[in-house]
Amino acid sequence: MLYSNHGLVKTVKFSNPTYIGDPLNAVKIYNEMEADELMFLDIDASSKNKPIDFNLIHEIANEAFMPVCYGGGIKTLEEIERVINIGIEKVCISSAATQNLDLINNAAARFGSQSIVVCLDILKRNENNFVVCTMNGKKQLNTDIFTLIENIQEAGAGEIVINDINREGSCLGFDIPMLQQLRRKIKIPLIATGGAGNLQHIKEAVLQAHVDAVAAGSLFVYFGRIKGILINYPKREKIKSLFKDEILHRI
């Protein structure tokens, strides 16, 4: 869930935000649909240098029945501690992770690697050229992504989220070749996001790129060809059926 200007939004390639609705109402709906986990990202906090809205985080933590990962504006160990003490299970670090590996190291040591998620916003220029971006994709870094990934892992991050800027909001499916390249370097759990338009896309990412999990936005907030706003989530039986043949093949 992307949060901007006091509401949930959905973007395309990090641009043109469309208002989706009230965040607490969305959490209530996902509770009823038994969503596995929610990632709540305040996309204004870092790019507009806004203070973290701890009151909103507290409301979300109280409302959600599932694990929640919060990201947005996290820069210090004290902020991470405050978010976790509110009741949030995971904290997502993005911009700060590219500038301060000590933050990851100290956070992992204090709260455990399982609580520390690093999100990398990736812009793919060509088959072998990936650029790490910050500030909602506006700032491109002169950083080798594979070196950065290695450093993030060594610092103690528990998960890495790869957010594909080119595919974000497109519903065209995941960039499998890119994920396959990154998977070879990422030894900790890898979550892919950016491109999911149907459940088959999720299956492809898991079975072909071997990601550990998939996060989706458009797939769970739009419905139908005209993309009417309708928060939705597949039943657990439907998700399990995606991988039924693969599970039987391995037995």
Side-chain angles (χ1 to χ4, degrees):
M1 300 195 303
L2 304 181
Y3 181 74
S4 176
N5 293 323
H6 308 291
L8 294 183
V9 299
K10 188 66 199 75
T11 56
V12 177
K13 296 184 179 181
F14 286 28
S15 301
N16 304 317
T18 298
Y19 178 75
I20 298 299
D22 175 73
L24 293 179
N25 184 56
V27 172
K28 292 175 182 177
I29 296 173
Y30 284 126
N31 280 339
E32 294 176 0
M33 295 182 174
E34 299 183 332
D36 291 307
E37 184 172 327
L38 288 180
M39 178 173 281
F40 185 85
L41 304 178
D42 185 338
I43 61 176
D44 291 340
S46 290
S47 63
K48 297 182 180 180
N49 198 30
K50 290 174 52 181
I52 297 171
D53 191 340
F54 291 104
N55 289 332
L56 177 61
I57 296 171
H58 189 273
E59 289 182 299
I60 289 172
N62 284 343
E63 192 65 54
F65 295 164
M66 74 293 289
V68 177
C69 176
Y70 170 80
I74 298 291
K75 299 182 181 68
T76 69
L77 198 63
E78 290 73 24
E79 290 168 339
I80 295 174
E81 183 173 33
R82 187 171 176 184
V83 170
I84 290 177
N85 285 342
I86 284 173
I88 299 296
E89 285 79 8
K90 299 178 184 179
V91 173
C92 183
I93 307 171
S94 185
S95 297
T98 65
Q99 304 164 356
N100 184 8
L101 289 171
D102 285 340
L103 177 61
I104 302 172
N105 200 318
N106 293 332
R110 180 178 295 189
F111 308 110
S113 293
Q114 78 284 345
S115 297
I116 307 304
V117 178
V118 172
C119 180
L120 298 179
D121 299 329
I122 306 299
L123 183 66
K124 181 178 178 180
R125 288 176 172 168
N126 56 53
E127 292 302 317
N128 298 298
N129 189 347
F130 311 130
V131 181
V132 180
C133 299
T134 59
M135 303 299 170
N136 288 344
K138 297 179 177 65
K139 181 179 180 181
Q140 298 185 15
L141 305 181
N142 293 320
T143 302
D144 177 71
I145 185 173
F146 299 110
T147 300
L148 179 60
I149 286 172
E150 183 176 345
N151 291 337
I152 288 170
Q153 292 180 126
E154 290 181 355
E159 300 175 5
I160 291 180
V161 176
I162 296 297
N163 195 358
D164 186 347
I165 297 175
N166 291 323
R167 298 286 182 110
E168 194 265 336
S170 70
C171 297
L172 297 175
F174 294 94
D175 187 334
I176 301 299
M178 182 186 78
L179 290 174
Q180 288 173 333
Q181 288 190 61
L182 296 174
R183 173 79 277 183
R184 288 193 284 269
K185 296 294 183 178
I186 298 175
K187 308 305 179 186
I188 60 178
L190 165 60
I191 294 86
T193 185
N198 56 54
L199 295 182
Q200 185 63 31
H201 291 154
I202 293 176
K203 182 177 181 178
E204 290 169 356
V206 172
L207 297 185
Q208 297 179 27
H210 304 292
V211 303
D212 297 281
V214 169
S218 297
L219 178 60
F220 300 142
V221 298
Y222 293 135
F223 184 80
R225 292 184 178 180
I226 62 172
K227 291 187 175 181
I229 296 174
L230 178 65
I231 293 177
N232 66 96
Y233 193 81
K235 293 185 179 298
R236 292 184 181 274
E237 292 75 15
K238 193 167 186 178
I239 296 174
K240 290 179 180 179
S241 69
L242 283 175
F243 307 101
K244 182 177 180 181
D245 292 341
E246 180 67 15
I247 292 171
L248 290 175
H249 177 72
R250 292 182 179 182
I251 293 178

